[in-house]
Amino acid sequence: MKKVLFTALLGIIGLLLLAQQNPARYYFEAGGPPAGEVWEEVPTIPGSNYSFNMELDYDSLNMQFIGNWPFGQSLSVSSSPTGDTVFYGSGGGVLVYDVQDPYNPLQIADIRARALVDHSFYDASSKILFLAAYFAGVEIWDLNDMENPQKLSRIPLNSYPRGGIFAGDGYLYIVTVADGIYIADISDLSNPQIISHQPITGSLVWTSSYEGDHIYASVGTSGLRIVNVSDPYNPFIEQIFSTNATGIIVINDTGYVLASNFGLRIYDFSDLSSIVQLGELAITGYPMRLTKANDHLYIANSTTSNGGGVTTVNISDPANPVYVTTTDPPETYISGSGNVIAASGNTGGLLLLDISDPADPQYAAETGTAWSTVNIAASGDYAYIGTGGFRVLDMSNPAEPVQIGYNETQGAITKLDDTVAVYIPKSMGSGNHVNIMNIADKENPVKSGHYSPPVMTYDLALKDNHAYVACWWDGFRVVNYSDPENPYLLSHELGWVNGAIPGEEYCFVQALDTYGNTLYVLDYGPFEDEDTKGLYIWDISNPQEPVRLNRYVDMLSKGNDIKVWGDYAYISDQEGGLEIINVADPMNPFTVSYLPLMDVAWDIDISYPFVYVSQYIMGGVHIVDVSDPANPEISAYYLRSGCFALGVTAWDRYALIADGPAGMQVYDNLLATTLPEENIGVKDQIYLFPNPADARISISYNAEGQENVHIKVFDLMGKCLFSQEYPQGDEIFCKTIQTDNLSPGMYVLELSSGNNVNSRKFIKK
């Protein structure tokens, strides 16, 4: 069925983009710029499609990176030479564990890098940890006080340093994916300097090994490039050796090479002009990385079929390697020495093996891990994410969010309703749960109940104890959760069945949003031969019987997400842009503007007059001023994030980025923090005091007229919480309203007088 094929294709595209994004160029400035990381000579975004000819590093306008909770999918693991300390790469962070007792690992520190951590190397002599951190290049951390790591500097690079990093004799050797090997002088760790570069041609470099005077870089089926670095200022390719390699280590001139087409091969590299194969052992599955401890190799095999896990091989006789055993579960990355092996890469987290008896490795422990953050809900001092379970983050210090609550329930998208959160997977699979989470106790969130749609769940909106769930080809479903322990299906529309008419009886609900008593359903038209594309508008004043009002078919965008505020629907375009549609008259919607953006526009949120757009890999987050919807303007941006900017949430004055496997990043919207209070003598301007408000807030407004004044207060999901009309009376209207019944968070006060409608954000403490 083509829907199933399309689902698989989406996943493959995402993985390829993560693995093989073509690199542009970085600056060579050791240590990085000052706070805010604004780089000179990087062109600003002119409000049109971005040119990828610019040099690649962080750039910003009216935004500042504040901090992150970067933990997620593991793409690396390394160990101290004794094996007592493990550095577990978790998304854009590193969790440091004391594993002297592998059965009871103790986390002693967490390190928060700027971007996805692909590789790490620990120099025990100096107690310095080097991180290969995707867009950030290489980060250098001082671990002399292991419990309080300190970042010393950063080295931006031409390409992602995913092939490996190694330190020795005052030099750092950096193997990039697509731009060869860089060597840096690290005699001054606070100011490392790139001193040489050796290009690697033929293919991408995903793995390498360093020993003595040589780096062995694997370029896949194009073989090994053996680079002589005896003179760090003048590296050169000494030999090209034809062998595939998904994993390689070289120790005392003996090379251990992995590949799925042959398993394990052992080579003598003592004479590079005449490399000799010593031994071979067939290994099924996908052997990926390996490490050596004493007379044994430990191989991470990522297949979920037979052979997956950590395979132990006795290599006491290199000419006759002998298979010993395989320990579940499947893994991709591996490290270790002494009596402990550490492996990662599966969804279980960090795996520790006790190898005190190499002939019989014992499963010691496995820690939990986050996975991929695609959505963030925030209110007051708390953020809620789904990544390897439901997590509550304390945001009282936005620079360093801290996880305080956890529940093992799986999901990805969270929406909030007082003390209840509705929580769903973002999944093209079937049988996903619409979970109702009790969040009254932030430290102990509890699942109250769930409803199980028979198919996928892809987006979510809440209104009046009803969850509107996007189910893609199954249309949308309305779930009543007024009794959180017993949510039930109230209605179901636009689901596909055999013989149904596309665009009339079914569509592919990619995203949806509610505003007032209207539901807006987005279908970007995934299949050209099925006429389903459009913005579907529904009256949901009776959610048990939604009434379809219209279908707007003249959308310019290939919409990925939608948010509605006031008279306008804002749509993020998968092809890179923001479309604004006037929906004041649901029977006559029309596009008022389209703003091109630099990358796939993924997610969208609104804190009027700003629209926040997350832009996948290269675009980070853009803030668009829509005070004039016909002429939207980019007012702020920060690019790039740490990996995938999959979601964006406007919270207080901050933009929270759901950064895929790199967790969550926090950016300050400097426009929101520096806007002066309005002059109340200016016509049609609202003045609020105090802001943030406590039990009440005072409103001043100059309308220069005699019309009555209507005040409304909305939460950020568009729900009206207060509505009252007052006589105008004096030229300047002044009124105080109670806010003590509002939960802490951000709100919008709307004031209308005659034909004038104005709004202003305020914060309830």
Side-chain angles (χ1 to χ4, degrees):
M1 183 178 181
K2 62 185 175 184
K3 281 91 175 173
V4 176
L5 294 174
F6 180 78
T7 301
L9 180 60
L10 284 177
I12 293 170
I13 290 172
L15 291 172
L16 289 175
L17 285 171
L18 173 60
Q20 299 185 9
Q21 177 71 36
N22 290 330
R25 297 192 62 82
Y26 287 78
Y27 280 97
F28 289 144
E29 291 194 33
E37 296 185 296
V38 180
W39 293 81
E40 297 179 358
E41 300 182 15
V42 178
T44 58
I45 307 300
S48 60
N49 283 325
Y50 178 76
S51 170
F52 286 92
N53 294 324
M54 69 174 283
E55 291 185 307
L56 176 61
D57 207 350
Y58 298 112
D59 183 28
S60 65
L61 172 70
N62 294 325
M63 293 190 76
Q64 183 175 356
F65 173 79
I66 295 298
N68 59 357
W69 185 88
F71 307 110
Q73 177 183 357
S74 179
L75 297 175
S76 69
V77 64
S78 63
S79 305
S80 62
T82 60
D84 292 341
T85 307
V86 168
F87 306 94
Y88 170 60
S90 175
V94 175
L95 304 179
V96 185
Y97 287 94
D98 181 336
V99 296
Q100 294 182 73
D101 178 1
Y103 295 88
N104 296 286
L106 175 65
Q107 183 181 324
I108 54 178
D110 67 64
I111 295 171
R112 304 187 181 207
R114 268 300 270 114
L116 193 69
V117 175
D118 298 311
H119 200 280
S120 62
F121 180 88
Y122 179 63
D123 183 354
S125 62
S126 61
K127 297 184 179 178
I128 299 297
L129 182 67
F130 301 89
L131 302 180
Y134 206 49
F135 286 124
V138 171
E139 294 188 3
I140 302 177
W141 288 76
D142 183 347
L143 270 59
N144 278 277
D145 180 356
M146 189 71 78
E147 296 182 5
N148 296 284
Q150 299 295 317
K151 183 178 176 180
L152 298 177
S153 57
R154 180 173 77 90
I155 308 174
L157 294 166
N158 260 37
S159 172
Y160 317 127
R162 308 187 76 182
I165 49 175
F166 313 95
D169 299 324
Y171 297 99
L172 184 66
Y173 303 92
I174 308 164
V175 184
T176 70
V177 172
D179 197 39
I181 298 170
Y182 287 90
I183 302 177
D185 182 335
I186 53 173
S187 54
D188 180 358
L189 290 167
S190 64
N191 187 31
Q193 300 290 327
I194 296 286
I195 59 172
S196 61
H197 172 227
Q198 173 58 55
I200 300 292
T201 60
S203 186
L204 303 179
V205 179
W206 295 110
T207 187
S208 62
S209 182
Y210 164 66
E211 187 199 30
D213 291 336
H214 295 92
I215 292 175
Y216 301 79
S218 169
V219 289
T221 56
S222 297
L224 293 178
R225 301 295 187 270
I226 304 175
V227 179
N228 188 310
V229 294
S230 56
D231 178 0
Y233 286 85
N234 295 287
F236 64 93
I237 296 177
E238 183 174 343
Q239 185 61 271
I240 297 176
F241 182 60
S242 179
T243 181
N244 190 13
T246 56
I248 179 173
I249 56 171
V250 181
I251 301 172
N252 296 326
D253 291 328
T254 302
Y256 306 91
V257 178
L258 297 177
S260 58
N261 61 322
F262 57 73
L264 168 68
R265 286 177 179 169
I266 303 175
Y267 294 97
D268 181 350
F269 284 126
S270 58
D271 181 358
L272 294 180
S273 65
S274 180
I275 298 170
V276 176
Q277 180 175 324
L278 301 176
E280 183 171 5
L281 178 66
I283 297 176
T284 60
Y286 303 107
M288 296 298 295
R289 300 289 191 271
L290 71 167
T291 192
K292 181 177 180 291
N294 300 315
D295 290 333
H296 290 77
L297 290 179
Y298 299 88
I299 298 169
N301 195 314
S302 64
T303 184
T304 55
S305 301
N306 291 336
V310 176
T311 295
T312 303
V313 177
N314 187 318
I315 53 167
S316 54
D317 179 3
N320 296 286
V322 177
Y323 171 83
V324 177
T325 188
T326 295
T327 306
D328 290 333
E331 301 288 2
T332 302
Y333 309 97
I334 196 164
S335 181
S337 60
N339 291 327
V340 182
I341 291 295
S344 72
N346 77 320
T347 57
L350 172 65
L351 172 69
L352 298 175
L353 297 180
D354 177 354
I355 58 166
S356 52
D357 179 2
D360 187 22
Q362 295 295 308
Y363 178 98
E366 191 169 11
T367 69
T369 188
W371 196 246
S372 183
T373 304
V374 301
N375 175 259
I376 302 165
S379 177
D381 285 337
Y382 302 97
Y384 306 83
I385 62 176
T387 170
F390 182 82
R391 300 172 191 265
V392 183
L393 307 181
D394 183 340
M395 301 291 294
S396 55
N397 178 9
E400 193 169 349
V402 176
Q403 179 179 315
I404 60 168
Y406 177 78
N407 184 287
E408 66 277 4
T409 302
Q410 296 298 307
I413 299 175
T414 304
K415 302 295 181 183
L416 304 177
D417 189 354
D418 294 328
T419 60
V420 169
V422 181
Y423 175 56
I424 65 171
K426 187 178 180 71
S427 169
M428 290 284 191
S430 62
N432 300 308
H433 288 176
V434 178
N435 300 294
I436 314 302
M437 310 294 295
N438 185 324
I439 55 173
D441 181 352
K442 310 301 182 189
E443 296 182 4
N444 295 286
V446 177
K447 178 180 172 181
S448 299
H450 71 262
Y451 163 73
S452 297
V455 292
M456 55 195 66
T457 52
Y458 218 64
D459 195 21
L460 179 66
L462 306 184
K463 177 178 169 55
D464 299 334
N465 292 320
H466 294 93
Y468 295 82
V469 185
C471 301
W472 218 59
W473 59 261
D474 192 44
F476 70 87
R477 291 174 177 252
V478 184
V479 177
N480 184 307
Y481 59 90
S482 54
D483 177 0
E485 295 182 359
N486 297 287
Y488 61 91
L489 180 67
L490 191 66
S491 56
H492 177 208
E493 303 288 345
L494 293 175
W496 176 85
V497 294
N498 276 323
I501 302 172
E504 293 294 330
E505 297 173 327
Y506 79 93
C507 75
F508 301 92
V509 180
Q510 167 75 12
L512 44 71
D513 195 22
T514 63
Y515 192 84
N517 287 322
T518 308
L519 173 69
Y520 300 86
V521 171
L522 182 64
D523 179 339
Y524 66 85
F527 304 108
E528 292 184 1
D529 60 341
E530 298 182 50
D531 178 22
T532 62
K533 181 178 179 179
L535 177 61
Y536 297 74
I537 305 175
W538 291 74
D539 181 342
I540 53 171
S541 52
N542 178 5
Q544 189 169 358
E545 295 182 359
V547 177
R548 177 170 159 174
L549 300 177
N550 198 5
R551 172 191 171 197
Y552 177 56
V553 298
D554 295 327
M555 284 171 42
L556 300 177
S557 60
K558 193 173 183 179
N560 197 69
D561 191 28
I562 181 172
K563 288 293 184 294
V564 181
W565 184 263
D567 291 338
Y568 297 93
Y570 302 88
I571 295 175
S572 58
D573 184 4
Q574 296 178 30
E575 296 181 343
L578 171 67
E579 182 175 5
I580 303 177
I581 300 174
N582 187 312
V583 292
D585 178 0
M587 304 309 294
N588 186 35
F590 58 93
T591 297
V592 296
S593 61
Y594 182 92
L595 178 67
L597 298 171
M598 64 167 290
D599 198 0
V600 172
W602 205 263
D603 195 33
I604 194 169
D605 201 7
I606 299 174
S607 180
Y608 191 82
F610 299 121
V611 170
Y612 295 70
V613 184
S614 67
Q615 292 188 77
Y616 204 34
I617 298 177
M618 304 302 291
V621 59
H622 280 57
I623 298 179
V624 181
D625 186 333
V626 294
S627 52
D628 179 2
N631 295 286
E633 296 181 350
I634 295 173
S635 58
Y637 64 81
Y638 201 106
L639 55 103
R640 282 134 295 277
S641 62
C643 185
F644 293 154
L646 297 180
V648 61
T649 299
W651 169 71
D652 195 351
R653 68 176 193 252
Y654 303 103
L656 307 181
I657 289 292
D659 207 28
M664 178 184 73
Q665 296 200 330
V666 183
Y667 298 89
D668 195 344
N669 177 359
L670 299 179
L671 293 174
T673 61
T674 58
L675 280 174
E677 294 290 352
E678 289 87 347
N679 183 343
I680 64 172
V682 177
K683 182 178 182 294
D684 294 337
Q685 295 299 309
I686 305 170
Y687 179 76
L688 303 179
F689 181 84
N691 188 8
D694 194 356
R696 61 188 60 85
I697 191 166
S698 296
I699 307 156
S700 299
Y701 177 75
N702 178 11
E704 295 185 1
Q706 297 300 314
E707 296 90 353
N708 287 347
V709 174
H710 196 167
I711 294 176
K712 296 180 180 180
V713 174
F714 298 88
D715 65 16
L716 293 183
M717 293 183 288
K719 182 178 181 180
C720 184
L721 306 175
F722 176 89
S723 179
Q724 183 67 49
E725 190 171 44
Y726 302 90
Q728 164 64 9
D730 298 331
E731 180 177 276
I732 296 180
F733 169 85
C734 297
K735 185 64 64 176
T736 297
I737 64 173
Q738 295 295 118
T739 55
D740 53 0
N741 62 329
L742 299 178
S743 301
M746 182 170 286
Y747 297 86
V748 174
L749 184 143
E750 180 184 278
L751 187 151
S752 58
S753 176
N755 294 324
N756 296 318
V757 179
N758 293 275
S759 61
R760 178 76 190 275
K761 291 185 299 182
F762 72 95
I763 298 170
K764 169 64 168 59
K765 291 192 293 187

